[in-house]
Every structure is written in C-alpha cells, then in structure tokens.
Amino acid sequence: MYSERFKKLIPYTPGEQPQNRKYIKLNTNENPFPPSSKINDYLKSVDISRLQLYPDPTAFKLREAIGNYYSVSASNIFVGNGSDEVLSLCFSAFFNNAEGPVLFPEYTYSFYPVYCSYYSLNYTRVPVKKDFSLSVDLFLTSPAYTGIIFPNPNAPTGIGLEQQEILKLMDSVREDVVVIIDEAYIDFGGTSSIPLIQKFDNLLIVQTFSKSRALAGSRIGFAVGNKNLIEALTTVKDSFNSYPLDFISQKLGEIAVSDTAHFRDITERIIKNREYTSFEFKRLGWEVLPSQANFIFTRKKGIAGKDVYDALKEKGILVRHFNQAGIEDFIRITIGKRDDMEFLLDCAEDLK
Ligand SMILES: *Cc1c(COP(=O)(O)O)cnc(C)c1O
C-alpha cells in the first residue's frame, strides 16, 4: 500500500503553533510586527471574481518586483510556496547521489536532512568551529560531494559568515557543484551574497518573506541565481505544481518588497531589541552566541536546555529547544517586541 519513498520518510518537526492557550510566541522566528499597511489596503479591495481564474504560473510581476529590489532581472528570480518549497525543488534539481553526499554544517536548519531523506541523498554534517562558526576550510577538504548548502547567518546559532569566506569557498569549489546559501535571516545584519551571482554561475541564494517581511502566513520564498539555474528550478516546479503561489500571495509579495520604508523600520526595531536582549541575557550570566538574525541562541551553565524550555512554557513563553547532542543545552529565542523581551528577561532571572 505504501511506496518505498514513503517508508523511508523522516519528516521535519515544525515549532509549535498552539491554537488554544495564548503564548508569547518566540519559537518560530516570525516577525513580531505586522506587514506593510499597504497590504491591508489591497486586501480590502480584492475582486473575488479573480478567484475563478488560475494565478500567473510564472508569478512574473512578483519576480520583477524582487528583481527590481536586488537590481537583477526577473529571469534571475524563482518564486515558490515558502522557501521550504524552493529549497526542496533545489535538492531535486541540483543534487545527485552518485556524485557524493550533500554537505551542510553540523548544526543547521533541520529541514536539510529531511530533504535528503525525501530525495534519497546521502549527506555529511561538516563540523563547526569551537565557537560554533562555520569553517569553509572543512567544507573544502571533503573528498567528494554533490552540493553544498548552509544558511547565512546560520540557524539555529545566528552566526554570520564573512563575505571573504564565501568568496574563498566559491573560488575553490568545483564549478559543476551548486552552492546554495539560505539567506532566511540575512536582512537582520548580514551581507547578502546576491551580487556574487554575477560572478558565479553555480551560486544560488534562497530567501523568504516569512521573517523580515512579516509574511509567514503567505508562504512566499524565492531563489536568485544564474538564469540556467532558475530555468532548472522552473522545470522541476512545472513537473510538480505549476501554480505554487496563489494570486493574492503574489500581490502581497509585490507590495511588501516595494514598501522599503516599512521594511527598514521593523527590521531596525528587531535588531535593536536583539542587541538589548543579548546584552541583558549576558548580564544575567547566560552565554549568548553573536547573532546577526532575529533570534538568539543561548545557554546557562547548570541548567539543561529542556528545563529552560519547560520553565518558560509554564510562564506562557514558547521558545525552541533542539534535542541534538552538542547544542542540547541551548534554547533559541525569537526576538519579539520590547515588552515581550522584558517579560522574558524577568522570567529568565528567576531560573535556577
Ligand atoms: C524559516 C526558515 C526557512 C523557511 O522559510 P519559509 O519561507 O517560511 O518556508 C528556510 N530556511 C531557514 C534557515 C529558516 O530558518
């Protein structure tokens, strides 16, 4: 009754989205601020007869708007139903088991091994340095590999990778290997590698509207790269679902990427709150990894990560705990509004 593919699946476990009790949600890196108010104006004016028709399968206007923002052509942009879908299509289009494993960091986005299980790909977790930052050299010493993927800044650590390290990687990697940089959190302080696609035909950048654009509910993700890579992704998409983005989401993405003033405002507030929260946690004796994202990764000597998670949940705050050896005593805390951070700090102060 079940396929061989199905029998091998190990699905991703998303952070909780509780529908009953009201929690302060600091567990899935959603934006604490609402999206552009222009979205509200648009939604009030939607013509429902438009729902009778299929949306534009190429999402051209959205791709054009994203292209304008990053000064690249629409032919360099691919869009999908959340960057999770875009990433999945990348694994399908660019990675071949026969060439070796997919490489990704030891501690990273836990969806990558899930895609490997889905597409029957082997993978190697490349060790991180003692301070949890990525080591480009260790990626490059791997004997054989079919592709490389890592988030910048990395998740769940929040640590960014220097542009010069990325250049070193791109200069040394085989030209027929696609390198995917998952920039889900790049807008919170990192330097995007999008300009590098002009120089490297095998570099693909993936981003999302779920975090910095405050549109997790709309499921909009995109990839930026050489047009041959974009065409390959389009072929895979059209072999699976030609219309991954409904017409409303396409329009919301267009509006969001064009409202730069609102985007800057909410992003700056999150960065400020992150600096405040990191400083205060350190003052209370917690170790906080240096974050360029909209979350911090922190631990305190003498308290198990799971106990911190449980104690905070008891107080009505949801954070994320990963049961993985080496990071099991950390918790990942999404940066919320200032008063939520103050309440969190009060609770953290009581933890023994
Ligand atoms: C949140 C996240 C994504 C997924 O974003 P969606 O666009 O909401 O699917 C991808 N990669 C990383 C590293 C993330 O943290």
Side-chain angles (χ1 to χ4, degrees):
M1 182 193 277
Y2 298 107
S3 69
E4 289 309 311
R5 182 193 288 285
F6 173 83
K7 286 182 213 160
K8 281 188 268 170
L9 293 184
I10 311 161
Y12 175 74
T13 316
E16 301 151 87
Q17 294 290 357
Q19 309 292 327
N20 44 6
R21 177 171 172 188
K22 213 170 149 33
Y23 286 96
I24 297 176
K25 258 190 104 282
L26 307 176
N27 67 332
T28 50
N29 298 340
E30 289 141 324
N31 203 302
F33 302 110
S36 163
S37 60
K38 294 183 179 136
I39 283 181
N40 205 15
D41 302 340
Y42 166 72
L43 286 175
K44 283 190 194 143
S45 72
V46 175
D47 170 11
I48 65 154
S49 72
R50 182 62 190 77
L51 288 167
Q52 291 161 247
L53 306 176
Y54 283 105
D56 173 9
T58 73
F60 183 76
K61 283 187 153 171
L62 172 58
R63 287 167 47 233
E64 195 175 49
I66 297 170
N68 281 341
Y69 184 79
Y70 289 106
S71 305
V72 297
S73 145
S75 61
N76 296 116
I77 309 282
F78 176 83
V79 297
N81 195 252
S83 60
D84 284 340
E85 184 186 75
V86 175
L87 290 166
S88 169
L89 300 178
C90 289
F91 275 62
S92 168
F94 305 122
F95 299 156
N96 252 321
N97 207 27
E99 292 164 10
V102 180
L103 306 183
F104 48 77
E106 180 176 10
Y107 307 118
T108 197
Y109 188 36
S110 43
F111 227 132
Y112 304 156
V114 173
Y115 299 132
C116 287
S117 107
Y118 188 81
Y119 294 110
S120 303
L121 296 161
N122 292 317
Y123 59 85
T124 300
R125 292 179 181 273
V126 176
V128 298
K129 297 186 199 164
K130 261 212 160 72
D131 64 1
F132 292 95
S133 64
L134 300 195
S135 164
V136 162
D137 293 332
L138 286 179
F139 273 92
L140 291 169
T141 50
S142 296
Y145 46 89
T146 185
I148 293 178
I149 181 164
F150 58 88
N152 182 33
N154 194 14
T157 61
I159 300 174
L161 190 61
E162 301 272 338
Q163 200 69 6
Q164 109 204 29
E165 292 294 293
I166 291 171
L167 276 171
K168 182 161 108 187
L169 177 73
M170 293 312 301
D171 278 330
S172 314
V173 83
R174 271 190 4 240
E175 275 170 33
D176 62 334
V177 161
V178 177
V179 175
I180 300 169
I181 306 183
D182 180 350
E183 293 190 339
Y185 302 103
I186 199 70
D187 295 324
F188 301 104
T191 305
S192 175
S193 295
I194 287 177
L196 300 184
I197 66 149
Q198 310 295 352
K199 188 168 173 216
F200 301 103
D201 290 351
N202 56 335
L203 176 64
L204 194 73
I205 310 300
V206 176
Q207 287 196 13
T208 176
F209 281 60
S210 297
K211 277 79 186 230
S212 58
R213 306 269 174 193
L215 283 174
S218 265
R219 313 301 301 123
I220 308 166
F222 63 96
V224 191
N226 175 275
K227 82 179 200 338
N228 296 328
L229 299 184
I230 301 304
E231 276 171 19
L233 286 173
T234 308
T235 300
V236 179
K237 169 193 82 104
D238 288 337
S239 309
F240 186 73
N241 177 7
S242 304
Y243 308 102
L245 275 182
D246 65 84
F247 92 92
I248 293 176
S249 293
Q250 292 185 26
K251 186 72 190 178
L252 299 195
E254 230 185 284
I255 298 169
V257 79
S258 308
D259 192 347
T260 46
H262 179 260
F263 166 72
R264 285 210 192 100
D265 176 45
I266 61 177
T267 306
E268 275 165 22
R269 282 155 78 181
I270 290 167
I271 293 172
K272 248 195 210 149
N273 284 346
R274 176 188 72 211
E275 294 310 299
Y276 162 75
T277 309
S278 301
F279 181 84
E280 292 296 318
F281 263 88
K282 285 189 221 162
R283 206 170 53 80
L284 294 175
W286 294 65
E287 176 188 355
V288 182
L289 300 189
S291 171
Q292 292 187 13
N294 67 339
F295 56 83
I296 55 168
F297 205 47
T298 181
R299 65 180 166 187
K300 190 171 185 187
K301 253 207 168 74
I303 315 180
K306 180 66 168 59
D307 292 344
V308 177
Y309 165 89
D310 286 336
L312 290 176
K313 189 167 183 183
E314 188 78 8
K315 304 221 181 195
I317 303 175
L318 274 186
V319 298
R320 195 85 196 262
H321 172 253
F322 298 92
N323 196 15
Q324 185 186 348
I327 55 169
E328 68 273 46
D329 281 338
F330 282 92
I331 51 162
R332 191 193 68 190
I333 305 171
T334 304
I335 301 302
K337 292 184 174 160
R338 178 73 179 225
D339 50 353
D340 290 339
M341 295 295 100
E342 283 169 6
F343 179 60
L344 166 75
L345 282 157
D346 285 345
C347 296
E349 204 160 0
D350 297 339
L351 290 178
K352 296 260 159 31

